[in-house]
Amino acid sequence: MMTFKAYLKKEFLEGIRQYKYIALATGIILFSILDPVMLKLLPSFVSNKIPANLIHQLFEFKPKDALANYIKDLFQIGTLFIIFTAAGSINEEVYSQKIVFPLTKGASKSQIVMAKFLHFSAAVCLFLIVGLFLDQYYANLLFEGQKIAVSDIVPVYFLLCIYYLFVISLTLLLSSFTKKNISAGILACTVAYSTALLSQFEKLKKFSPYNLILLTNNFGLQDAKTTLVITILLTVLFLVTTVFRFNNLEIN
């Protein structure tokens, strides 16, 4: 357990030195502020191109519309930041020989994988709650209509956390099968964004992790049981496979 804690601390310090937290905060928190502001300014940007009577009809946004827009941008852009920040987690350790020292100190490869997963998961979930509350504040401040309550944020936060735990486990898995960070990142992005395509089919939608993103529009956990179970099982499967793959990698 002490070895696990020491490696977790090492991940934390490395995250600071390599500016990983800045990258994650940029991808997750920045848009929580920019999205409501840009949505508020959007009518003025198009006022010269669209008749005034149509602007009010086309751009009448409510606080929950701003939150939905933030979640959409979070999936489209924030996912990129998360994946490419974690993409070198396994392969970089192996092929740059960084893994040799922890192994000589008694760390097991399963501990290393779990430490990396826990480190990225904790960071992403922390930035997510900050981003959601910032977006709630600015959306409620800038737009008229039914306000976003804390009780609305809680299920949205839970669904996003489960989805991004899946994304992190997927990225770690693919990182263990590739030698270059960029390769793992591209593959992880391809799979993550492909889950959105699967959701286009009504009968398959509940089996796609991306359905968790869609369910955030309900501001509740109704109809989420099947997708939650499948996403959690996939996350566990990816982690177990990553440990198995990592154990079979030769460390020169």
Side-chain angles (χ1 to χ4, degrees):
M1 182 58 71
M2 290 304 295
T3 305
F4 175 79
K5 290 180 178 178
Y7 200 86
L8 193 59
K9 181 180 179 181
K10 174 256 183 192
E11 287 291 310
F12 173 73
L13 294 174
E14 192 173 88
I16 296 174
R17 287 197 303 269
Q18 296 183 358
Y19 306 106
K20 291 181 180 180
Y21 299 127
I22 294 177
L24 291 173
T26 301
I28 297 173
I29 296 178
L30 181 62
F31 292 101
S32 68
I33 301 172
L34 287 181
D35 268 20
V37 174
M38 295 302 292
L39 212 57
K40 184 68 176 179
L41 295 175
L42 184 59
S44 63
F45 292 154
V46 298
S47 59
N48 295 330
K49 301 178 181 179
I50 299 178
N53 60 326
L54 287 178
I55 289 180
H56 181 71
Q57 298 177 24
L58 295 174
F59 302 104
E60 187 178 359
F61 300 115
K62 295 182 172 68
K64 288 187 177 181
D65 295 326
L67 179 60
N69 194 66
Y70 167 58
I71 293 171
K72 182 189 71 174
D73 286 346
L74 189 61
F75 171 73
Q76 293 176 346
I77 303 173
T79 301
L80 286 172
F81 281 84
I82 293 170
I83 287 176
F84 280 99
T85 301
S89 296
I90 303 296
N91 53 24
E92 190 175 290
E93 293 279 351
V94 174
Y95 296 106
S96 66
Q97 303 294 307
K98 292 181 181 180
I99 197 65
V100 175
F101 181 73
L103 291 177
T104 59
K105 292 298 181 180
S108 70
K109 291 179 180 178
S110 60
Q111 287 179 328
I112 291 172
V113 171
M114 291 311 299
K116 289 180 177 296
F117 177 73
L118 183 59
H119 162 252
F120 279 109
S121 298
V124 168
C125 289
L126 175 62
F127 289 134
L128 275 175
I129 194 64
V130 174
L132 285 171
F133 277 123
L134 280 173
D135 190 82
Q136 177 201 25
Y137 172 77
Y138 284 105
N140 286 341
L141 181 69
L142 296 173
F143 298 100
E144 299 295 331
Q146 183 181 1
K147 302 302 182 182
I148 304 169
V150 173
S151 59
D152 295 322
I153 293 294
V154 172
V156 170
Y157 173 66
F158 178 72
L159 293 171
L160 288 175
C161 281
I162 297 299
Y163 176 77
Y164 281 111
L165 294 186
F166 159 78
V167 170
I168 293 167
S169 67
L170 169 68
T171 306
L172 293 178
L173 172 63
L174 294 174
S175 179
S176 71
F177 280 94
T178 58
K179 291 186 177 182
K180 295 184 180 297
N181 301 5
I182 187 69
S183 300
I186 291 173
L187 287 172
C189 285
T190 301
V191 175
Y193 291 131
S194 294
T195 63
L197 296 178
L198 189 62
S199 295
Q200 300 301 312
F201 302 94
E202 191 62 34
K203 291 184 178 180
L204 299 177
K205 185 165 63 173
K206 65 180 179 180
F207 301 108
S208 169
Y210 177 73
N211 193 41
L212 297 178
I213 302 293
L214 298 177
L215 289 170
T216 58
N217 292 322
N218 297 336
F219 295 95
L221 299 178
Q222 58 268 32
D223 303 322
K225 183 178 179 181
T226 300
T227 310
L228 282 170
V229 170
I230 289 174
T231 305
I232 292 170
L233 287 176
L234 284 173
T235 301
V236 173
L237 176 63
F238 290 164
L239 288 174
V240 171
T241 307
T242 303
V243 171
F244 180 79
R245 166 65 178 169
F246 200 13
N247 281 330
N248 286 278
L249 282 175
E250 292 186 8
I251 310 297
N252 298 321

